[in-house]
Amino acid sequence: MTRIRLDRLADPRTAATRRAWMLSLARVLAACGLGSRIDAASAQSPAADDPESSAVWQGLRGTLFGQRPIAAASADTLRLDAPARAVDAAVVPIAIRSRLPQTEREYVRRLLLVIDSNPSPVGLIAQLTPEAGRAELETRVRVDAYSHVRAIAEMNDGRLFMAVRYVKASGGCSAAATSDPQAARARLGQMRLQADAAPAAGVPLGVQLQISHPNHSGMAMDQLTRQYTPAHFVRQVDVTLAERPVLSAQVDFSLSENPFLHFFVLPQSGADLVVRVVDTEDRRSDSRLRLDVAAR
């Protein structure tokens, strides 16, 4: 799979205008074999009622899935919840909700979140196992321009389902951080891990993860120095239960400041749920939560 990495783009601190940034993105897309199918107008102004009109998506689709068919999601398979118009483009709530099975025999092995108009369109790729119990994710993202937002579920037998919403938002990736820089550095990597309810045997348990991290995109200007803050963001989140994998997510600056994830796990009595996080400076942190299943 081809990844569109921010560190392959021109540094926005030296780009004279936003157009220079977008031209730099176009060069990266061309290097990935996508440039011949993308023009600036279609990338910035996709037709809201036609998800397949996005040239960015057409390029990514082939790179990610080749010629494999992708079924339109129904209420019985996959749903994407996102606002039609975002209140804050830097903090757009997203929920991927699934009725697809998550058993040893049949399960969702990957969930992908694609934001067509973002500088790095593939915002999240999550590998899942049956240990999750339910293939659902919630997060908060940045949206840089009016865009189709896509959730794609890949089953363990290779079937693909896609749900799409059109979100009206702009400027999310270049929005300035809201936290004090010194305070953010002091808290860097700290995590809050909390279960939604008391664990029960055989019942998927929702878990909330909050990571203290500025998740700098490299596109936001410091209003005091008038310099662009270098990119620095969480790139990997791994979740295990009793040392068995539950979730492994590749993420980038499309996730909002202080990244949030809500996911599910099948609890085991006395087992530790462990979350490990790595950022682009290779800073590592971890957190754990003991899950004690109540006796019935």
Side-chain angles (χ1 to χ4, degrees):
M1 183 191 70
T2 302
R3 296 220 52 186
I4 299 173
R5 295 283 304 274
L6 181 67
D7 54 13
R8 294 177 62 188
L9 299 178
D11 189 339
R13 291 169 293 173
T14 61
T17 64
R18 181 174 176 80
R19 176 175 173 78
W21 174 267
M22 294 305 296
L23 288 173
S24 179
L25 171 61
R27 286 194 293 271
V28 171
L29 293 170
C32 296
L34 310 182
S36 62
R37 292 185 250 178
I38 296 174
D39 59 62
S42 60
Q44 294 183 34
S45 303
D49 58 351
D50 184 8
E52 295 303 312
S53 69
S54 166
V56 171
W57 167 243
Q58 287 302 319
L60 286 173
R61 187 190 192 288
T63 300
L64 292 168
F65 307 113
Q67 298 302 311
R68 296 160 59 190
I70 302 177
S74 67
D76 295 327
T77 54
L78 189 71
R79 190 176 87 228
L80 174 63
D81 291 341
R85 184 180 294 276
V87 175
D88 184 344
V91 189
V92 180
I94 296 289
I96 304 172
R97 307 197 185 280
S98 167
R99 289 193 173 183
L100 296 164
Q102 198 69 10
T103 65
E104 292 288 345
R105 181 177 178 180
E106 185 180 9
Y107 62 94
V108 176
R109 70 181 177 194
R110 283 202 307 171
L111 284 175
L112 296 87
L113 180 66
V114 175
I115 306 170
D116 290 9
S117 296
N118 273 11
S120 179
V122 184
L124 178 149
I125 301 177
Q127 307 279 346
L128 300 171
T129 72
E131 304 293 332
R134 186 181 300 173
E136 295 193 2
L137 288 175
E138 294 181 44
T139 189
R140 295 187 287 262
V141 301
R142 295 167 169 140
V143 178
D144 203 49
Y146 284 25
S147 181
H148 289 104
V149 178
R150 306 167 193 270
I152 304 107
E154 180 180 16
M155 302 298 294
N156 62 315
D157 62 6
R159 286 177 296 150
L160 296 165
F161 300 92
M162 181 170 70
V164 185
R165 291 293 303 270
Y166 190 77
V167 176
K168 295 180 179 179
S170 61
C173 293
S174 57
T178 60
S179 301
D180 174 76
Q182 290 186 343
R185 281 193 294 271
R187 297 191 305 267
L188 190 68
Q190 294 180 15
M191 285 183 271
R192 185 176 65 187
L193 195 57
Q194 180 178 337
D196 291 348
V203 179
L205 176 68
V207 178
Q208 301 177 51
L209 169 65
Q210 183 87 46
I211 307 167
S212 183
H213 200 290
N215 242 39
H216 292 307
S217 68
M219 297 174 62
M221 179 181 289
D222 186 307
Q223 297 303 308
L224 294 176
T225 66
R226 308 302 294 173
Q227 300 294 315
Y228 285 91
T229 304
H232 179 208
F233 50 87
V234 172
R235 64 175 177 83
Q236 184 78 29
V237 179
D238 293 315
V239 181
T240 60
L241 180 67
E243 300 184 356
R244 297 185 62 181
V246 174
L247 164 72
S248 180
Q250 297 175 16
V251 295
D252 70 4
F253 62 81
S254 285
L255 267 61
S256 301
E257 180 182 358
N258 298 320
F260 167 83
L261 282 175
H262 182 271
F263 58 91
F264 282 86
V265 63
L266 276 176
Q268 300 176 21
S269 187
D272 281 347
L273 183 73
V274 178
V275 176
R276 295 184 172 89
V277 170
V278 184
D279 73 11
T280 52
E281 294 183 358
D282 209 33
R283 295 175 183 266
R284 299 169 185 266
S285 52
D286 60 75
S287 182
R288 64 185 57 229
L289 178 67
R290 174 57 60 96
L291 299 181
D292 290 318
V293 176
R296 292 187 173 181

